[in-house]
Amino acid sequence: MFTPLEITQILSTTPDRAFTLFSHRDHLAKWWGPKGMEMEIKTFDFRSGGIFHYLIKAGNGFEMWGKFTYLEIEAPNRITLINSFSNADAETVPAPIVPFGADWPLEMWTEYRFEPSGDQTLLRLTSYPLNASDASNQQFFENHDNMRLGFKGTFDALSDYLKTLQ
């Protein structure tokens, strides 16, 4: 059996504020996505059943659409969602083969938890493939280290953004 991807990060803020940075369009636009890439938000409907649909662009012309479909929102403690790649019309599509590979899962169940840790917040991400083939599960789990590196850049951007708010 495969283990889910688990990533933690300490944030120098309260769980309420950390949750707000995930739940408000204007905040999310300032830090979400890989380092060095520009992000455009097409749709941001933060409610159960709503979607966050966005485009990430690199300076070399590379573009990649992504989508969160929100499942459960328990302010200020927890957000669960389905994470997927999409096209410009917010239809779920396979991940780009480069860099993800042909067997990347179509959808991933993802949870963000915001837990008090003294005067800070422990951000806990858990994710795993949803309704995926054995090959997709294998590819996802073989890439935990790469995903940790990618999320490190995103969560570092979140930490840097937090400093601008103080």
Side-chain angles (χ1 to χ4, degrees):
M1 181 169 164
F2 298 111
T3 57
L5 173 68
E6 295 183 337
I7 301 170
T8 59
Q9 174 99 5
I10 292 291
L11 301 174
S12 296
T13 192
T14 65
D16 279 342
R17 187 160 212 192
F19 184 89
T20 296
L21 299 180
F22 277 76
S23 63
H24 288 79
R25 175 189 188 120
D26 292 342
H27 287 302
L28 203 57
K30 303 284 188 192
W31 64 268
W32 179 258
K35 187 174 183 173
M37 297 185 86
E38 180 185 329
M39 200 241 320
E40 281 179 32
I41 297 176
K42 185 168 182 182
T43 304
F44 188 76
D45 183 10
F46 188 73
R47 62 178 176 85
S48 295
I51 68 166
F52 165 39
H53 182 220
Y54 60 93
L55 172 64
I56 294 176
K57 298 189 244 183
N60 64 3
F62 176 78
E63 294 186 351
M64 183 171 59
W65 288 92
K67 178 176 71 171
F68 292 174
T69 303
Y70 294 106
L71 300 174
E72 296 177 291
I73 297 169
E74 298 171 14
N77 305 311
R78 181 175 174 261
I79 301 167
T80 61
L81 55 93
I82 305 284
N83 183 8
S84 60
F85 290 91
S86 70
N87 60 22
D89 295 323
E91 298 165 325
T92 300
V93 299
I97 290 178
V98 176
F100 296 96
D103 288 320
W104 195 257
L106 195 58
E107 297 179 317
M108 281 107 4
W109 180 91
T110 304
E111 175 184 67
Y112 293 94
R113 286 193 172 271
F114 308 91
E115 302 170 4
S117 180
D119 61 351
Q120 299 178 319
T121 298
L122 175 65
L123 170 61
R124 184 182 310 274
L125 174 148
T126 304
S127 186
Y128 57 82
L130 188 64
N131 302 317
S133 69
D134 288 343
S136 291
N137 282 325
Q138 184 69 32
Q139 187 163 25
F140 181 87
F141 293 108
E142 286 175 357
N143 279 281
H144 278 193
D145 288 342
N146 292 333
M147 289 184 285
R148 282 188 187 95
L149 282 173
F151 275 107
K152 180 183 181 339
T154 297
F155 292 160
D156 285 351
L158 171 58
S159 292
D160 290 345
Y161 177 62
L162 265 169
K163 292 173 190 170
T164 72
L165 300 175
Q166 297 173 358

